[in-house]
Amino acid sequence: MIIDNKDALSLSKNPWRLCSLNQVEEVKLLLRLIPIWLSTLMFCVVFVQSQSFFVKQGSTMVRSIGSNFQVPPAALQCVGGLTLVIIIPIYDRIFVPMARKNSGHHRGITILQRIGIGLFVSILIMLVASLVETKRINIAQEHGLVDDPKAIVPMSIWWLVPQYVLLGIGELFTIIGLQELFYDQMPDGMRSLGAAAFISIVGVGSFVANAIISILQKITSRNENVWLGNNLNRAHLNNYYWVLSGLCGINFCVYLWVASRFVYKRVESDDERRDGGEETI
């Protein structure tokens, strides 16, 4: 604790002027996590699409199974969850041991590397989504359905499965990785705040997604060619997905720069004593 003349001569100590070394280090830990928090918002922007435009896409496609059953458009969201259930054991039992042999790290890869892989997958998600949407629009044009907002495009809803599968893979790396990061790297007495910071990413990501939509709507409305109109067959949702993939690419580059400068909290544990050494990106 550093004490100047003012504190030394004062009978009562001002806690706002006196900070222990431990308190200073805890503040540093919090500040280090802010750039990571900001650079992962784009993944949550992509995640939000699965609950909005992906569902709206599915509502315009052929959803019938047999003669009497229609697949609800929102039901495909379970594909991401099923993907997680399938690949988590593969990740833990196969990927981590193989990666541990190559890297010597007890987790196989570091937390930041895990998050980075998920951010890269988010680029692939939007690229696949844009290609599928381009195909859907082309089919709608071929069948003269552009001006009918309620028309069902003769294209199976199962075309949306790959982007949901990729989303599940991205969640395995980024979402779980963020949960680990904000738990491990928070000060011991503030781990509940770390959990709140992790959860807040999804909420703030929704606001960022709405901001991007508002900006694009304002720009495209100048030419009377709104990208995201009510008629999805005439809209340019594929262009919106291309923009998101570009933003994800830029965000990924920013994340790599931020992560390369991140310093992990030193934690004494059996794993680290066995590995010997601090984590690096």
Side-chain angles (χ1 to χ4, degrees):
M1 183 177 294
I2 300 174
I3 302 177
D4 58 16
N5 291 332
K6 182 176 180 179
D7 292 312
L9 298 175
S10 176
L11 295 178
S12 61
K13 307 303 181 184
N14 185 352
W16 293 101
R17 301 191 74 252
L18 300 176
C19 295
S20 65
L21 181 60
N22 185 57
Q23 289 174 320
V24 173
E25 291 301 318
E26 287 180 349
V27 172
K28 288 182 179 179
L29 290 175
L30 292 174
L31 294 177
R32 289 172 191 165
L33 290 171
I34 292 175
I36 298 295
W37 187 89
L38 291 172
S39 59
T40 53
L41 286 174
M42 274 306 300
F43 183 87
C44 293
V45 172
V46 173
F47 178 79
V48 169
Q49 307 309 312
S50 68
Q51 303 170 357
S52 54
F53 286 116
F54 287 7
V55 176
K56 193 171 182 179
Q57 276 181 281
S59 66
T60 67
M61 304 168 78
V62 177
R63 298 178 283 118
S64 58
I65 297 180
S67 57
N68 298 319
F69 183 75
Q70 294 280 332
V71 177
L76 285 189
Q77 295 183 49
C78 71
V79 172
L82 291 175
T83 302
L84 276 174
V85 171
I86 294 171
I87 64 175
I88 284 178
I90 298 174
Y91 178 86
D92 286 337
R93 299 298 181 182
I94 299 177
F95 177 80
V96 171
M98 291 177 60
R100 187 184 292 129
K101 290 181 181 178
N102 293 325
S103 66
H105 194 277
H106 64 278
R107 287 191 175 101
I109 56 177
T110 66
I111 299 177
L112 291 179
Q113 288 173 338
R114 181 172 186 169
I115 295 172
I117 292 173
L119 293 179
F120 179 76
V121 172
S122 69
I123 302 174
L124 300 180
I125 295 170
M126 298 321 304
L127 289 176
V128 170
S130 62
L131 293 174
V132 171
E133 175 61 11
T134 299
K135 180 177 179 63
R136 193 193 67 82
I137 291 175
N138 290 337
I139 293 176
Q141 291 174 345
E142 292 172 2
H143 290 79
L145 303 175
V146 173
D147 295 321
D148 187 358
K150 296 183 179 180
I152 299 299
V153 178
M155 177 178 176
S156 175
I157 193 174
W158 304 115
W159 278 89
L160 301 179
V161 168
Q163 57 206 58
Y164 279 103
V165 171
L166 286 173
L167 184 63
I169 296 173
E171 287 184 65
L172 169 69
F173 286 97
T174 295
I175 298 297
I176 298 177
L178 284 170
Q179 192 171 10
E180 289 183 357
L181 182 72
F182 281 100
Y183 182 83
D184 287 348
Q185 300 302 309
M186 274 285 180
D188 292 340
M190 303 179 67
R191 282 178 170 168
S192 59
L193 179 61
F198 156 71
I199 295 173
S200 69
I201 295 179
V202 178
V204 177
S206 298
F207 283 109
V208 174
N210 288 333
I212 293 173
I213 291 173
S214 298
I215 293 171
L216 289 177
Q217 290 291 79
K218 186 174 182 180
I219 294 174
T220 56
S221 62
R222 295 175 182 175
N223 299 324
E224 298 182 354
N225 189 22
V226 179
W227 281 6
L228 304 174
N230 293 327
N231 183 358
L232 209 60
N233 293 332
R234 182 171 285 280
H236 299 278
L237 185 60
N238 56 336
N239 292 340
Y240 170 66
Y241 287 160
W242 282 114
V243 170
L244 287 186
S245 64
L247 292 176
C248 287
I250 295 172
N251 178 78
F252 179 68
C253 294
V254 173
Y255 173 82
L256 291 179
W257 182 82
V258 170
S260 65
R261 286 157 176 77
F262 185 84
V263 179
Y264 287 92
K265 178 178 72 172
R266 183 62 180 171
V267 179
E268 285 295 328
S269 64
D270 294 338
D271 289 334
E272 288 194 353
R273 283 192 290 269
R274 180 174 64 253
D275 294 336
E278 296 183 357
E279 291 186 358
T280 61
I281 183 176

